[in-house]
Amino acid sequence: MPTARTVSTVRGNETTMAVDKADDDNFVVIKCATDINMSSELEQLEANCYGGNEILISGNDPIPAFTLNGIVKEYPTAEKAANVSGNDLEDWHLSKEPKEFKYARGMTGDRVRSFTGFVSAYGEAGTANGLQTYSATISAMKKITITPSE
């Protein structure tokens, strides 16, 4: 059960991305992520006419994208169900398989963003003396739902 928030400032490590990995309504936190970024823009229309120019909001819902960077891990078979690896993200990218995601903070009443999305981009990088890392973009397929955590 989530605890009540006592400090109003949100720390980066309080926000997580979770996915319904097995499509069974059980969400697994992507623990190997080292940073998560959300971006959302409103579509704009340019109205140019003899009376002047103006920018208008298109009326379409904003559809956010989430960029995750993390450490590549190869989980043993017994641990795969309880963890999300870069391999999972790459597999969902290659299969174009949509998944249910939650971008949330764990305190009671904190914001939870729920959405159906797909891994629209995936890449890996590493150096000989460093860890192998991944970068993935998860694109929402329609407007997200925002609810408070319980």
Side-chain angles (χ1 to χ4, degrees), residues 84-133:
V84 177
S85 68
N87 293 341
D88 293 316
L89 295 168
E90 182 180 20
D91 290 347
W92 298 329
H93 172 66
L94 294 171
S95 70
K96 305 174 197 155
E97 180 181 358
K99 298 301 249 179
E100 296 297 320
F101 292 91
K102 288 186 180 184
Y103 179 63
R105 295 181 269 282
M107 303 285 186
T108 301
D110 281 358
R111 180 168 286 217
V112 176
R113 297 169 182 96
S114 302
F115 63 97
T116 302
F118 62 98
V119 181
S120 57
Y122 181 83
E124 287 189 14
T127 62
N129 294 320
L131 295 173
Q132 185 77 359
T133 60

Side-chain angles (χ1 to χ4, degrees), residues 39-51:
S39 175
S40 180
E41 294 182 17
L42 288 172
E43 183 182 13
Q44 300 174 33
L45 304 174
E46 255 185 74
N48 298 315
C49 59
Y50 291 115

